[in-house]
């Protein structure tokens, strides 16, 4: 079969090589899946760079979530068992963690429903306890993680403010349903905070969803409401902020961490319940993963690099059955 492999860590476009390799053999408790679609995530870039918290032995195949087909024909969502990641024609995955793919979504959409939407649901509902009528501020609102949070916030009845980087991403955030879109290329962090306060009548954002860190977090702390909640999801901006806890004390807000993988490890029943709720919302049309491009397997390394560089909107999804040159 064909698979992308990393022999030496580095930037994805240089580190990933498309090779002919044997099909992976399932270990105890695993199944083999034919990959129908593999969603591209920022952690795939971190894996290629050797910067992710999990460091599989070299050589390995990136790709942390797929929609796949079991040998008995079931369509499922899975997190592949590294080092046999999703940018390949076949993967192995733990049998106990398979989730049924929603019938209302195609393969690419289903692949993109998993980690990003689970992270959004746990962050907004389990950690921040978002309530109908509250104001939600989402950073990187046009990206894969941010777009999921925007849709989940709207489905929960929140007013959603989206922060993006650039005019094209602003249009995407508007199409997703953001009630206010702020372009950080036009505003400094203080300007973003002032616009949020103006829009909310001085109150600020009740919940902030931050997958960026750095200046985005600084803006969040300036405009979070009394008893607001800042959900820290990641640091795609490259800078891990060092929050001033005295500021949280004075303003009465909470800083909440969210690592979805811990729920998968420590509370798998909660993951199943979340997937049932996400499937219900998808079936109702309340959420639909924003798949901006469907890419053939030959384009996977370039897709991972583009996600790493922050130049994409929505989700890029690798579809192995697409011919080279197939696309959007």
């Amino acid at each position: 079969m064909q698979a992308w492999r990393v022999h030496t860590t580095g930037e994805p476009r240089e580190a990933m090589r498309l090779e002919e390799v044997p099909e992976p053999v399932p270990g105890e408790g695993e199944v083999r899946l034919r990959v129908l679609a593999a969603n591209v995530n920022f952690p795939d870039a971190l894996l290629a760079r050797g910067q992710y918290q999990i460091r599989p032995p070299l050589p390995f195949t990136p790709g942390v979530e797929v929609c796949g087909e079991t040998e008995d024909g079931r369509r499922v969502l899975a997190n592949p068992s590294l080092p046999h990641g999703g940018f390949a024609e076949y993967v192995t995955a733990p049998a106990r963690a398979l989730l049924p793919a929603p019938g209302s979504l195609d393969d690419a959409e289903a692949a993109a429903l998993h980690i990003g939407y689970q992270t959004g649901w746990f962050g907004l509902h389990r950690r921040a306890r978002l309530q109908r009528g509250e104001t939600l501020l989402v950073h990187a609102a046009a990206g894969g993680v941010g777009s999921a949070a925007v849709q989940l916030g709207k489905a929960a009845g929140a007013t959603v403010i989206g922060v993006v980087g650039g005019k094209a991403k602003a249009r995407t955030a508007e199409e997703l349903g953001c009630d206010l879109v702020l372009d950080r290329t036009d505003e400094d962090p203080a300007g973003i905070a002032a616009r949020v306060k103006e829009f909310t009548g001085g109150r600020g954002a009740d919940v902030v969803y931050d997958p960026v860190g750095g200046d985005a977090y600084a803006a969040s702390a300036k405009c979070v409401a009394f008893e607001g909640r800042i959900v820290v999801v990641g640091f795609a901006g490259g800078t891990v902020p060092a929050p001033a806890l005295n500021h949280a004390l004075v303003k009465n807000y909470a800083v909440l961490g969210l690592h979805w993988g811990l729920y998968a490890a420590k509370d798998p029943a909660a993951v199943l319940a979340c997937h049932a709720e996400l499937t219900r919302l998808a079936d109702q049309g309340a959420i639909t993963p924003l798949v901006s491009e469907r890419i053939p397997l030959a384009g996977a390394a370039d897709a991972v690099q583009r996600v790493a560089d922050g130049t994409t909107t929505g989700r890029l999804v690798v579809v192995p059955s697409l011919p080279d040159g197939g696309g959007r």
Side-chain angles (χ1 to χ4, degrees):
M1 71 168 190
Q2 286 194 309
W4 284 91
R5 298 213 292 177
V6 173
H7 292 264
T8 304
T9 56
E11 285 303 298
R13 198 174 279 129
E14 284 74 41
M16 293 172 61
R17 299 184 206 163
L18 187 58
E19 300 176 345
E20 286 286 339
V21 299
E23 290 184 14
V25 177
E28 185 176 352
E30 293 184 332
V31 296
R32 180 165 50 211
L33 304 174
R34 181 171 71 90
V35 177
L36 302 175
N39 186 37
V40 180
N41 287 274
F42 190 71
D44 295 318
L46 296 180
L47 278 166
R49 292 168 172 166
Q51 296 174 346
Y52 197 50
Q53 57 257 42
I54 299 170
R55 297 189 181 183
L58 296 168
F60 67 87
T61 298
V64 297
E65 62 179 342
V66 303
C67 175
E69 184 180 62
T70 64
E71 293 181 344
D72 61 0
R74 289 180 297 133
R75 189 167 159 265
V76 298
L77 307 184
N79 300 123
S81 303
L82 296 176
H84 303 296
F87 301 137
E89 293 179 295
Y90 289 88
V91 297
T92 57
R96 61 177 175 74
L98 299 181
L99 299 171
S104 58
L105 302 178
D106 68 23
D107 295 338
E109 292 167 338
L113 183 75
H114 196 187
I115 297 174
Y117 279 85
Q118 288 256 345
T119 298
W121 193 91
F122 276 102
L124 297 181
H125 292 289
R126 181 90 170 230
R127 301 294 284 138
R129 308 292 181 184
L130 178 69
Q131 301 298 308
R132 180 173 294 276
E134 288 191 317
T135 298
L136 167 66
L137 172 64
V138 179
H139 291 285
V145 172
S147 63
V150 169
Q151 292 185 2
L152 289 168
K154 294 299 293 183
T159 297
V160 180
I161 302 171
V163 180
V164 300
K167 297 295 187 290
K169 294 185 178 185
R171 287 192 295 272
T172 297
E174 290 169 358
E175 292 166 0
L176 286 166
C178 286
D179 299 280
L180 174 68
V181 178
L182 303 175
D183 187 346
R184 59 180 168 77
T185 63
D186 294 336
E187 308 260 10
D188 60 19
I192 295 283
R195 292 285 303 281
V196 171
K197 286 195 169 183
E198 178 186 11
F199 182 75
T200 58
R203 174 176 172 77
D206 299 291
V207 176
V208 179
Y209 191 79
D210 180 13
V212 178
D215 289 343
Y217 181 87
S220 302
K222 286 183 169 68
C223 64
V224 65
F226 169 73
E227 292 197 327
R229 292 84 76 197
I230 301 175
V231 184
V232 178
V233 183
F235 313 106
T239 302
V240 178
L245 295 185
N246 62 319
H247 190 257
L249 181 153
V250 170
K251 286 189 67 175
N252 276 35
Y253 64 86
V255 180
L256 306 170
L258 190 283
H259 176 202
W260 173 79
L262 284 180
Y263 287 101
K266 295 181 177 294
D267 193 355
V271 172
L272 292 175
C274 175
H275 182 67
E277 175 63 8
L278 293 176
T279 298
R280 183 185 72 82
L281 291 171
D283 289 345
Q284 291 179 345
I287 60 173
T288 303
L290 177 61
V291 177
S292 57
E293 293 182 52
R294 292 164 171 82
I295 296 165
L297 185 59
D302 182 67
V304 176
Q305 186 68 58
R306 289 164 58 202
V307 169
D309 294 341
T311 60
T312 61
T313 59
R315 287 293 189 184
L316 307 187
V317 181
V318 174
V319 181
S321 63
L322 278 177
D324 292 357
R328 299 172 187 266

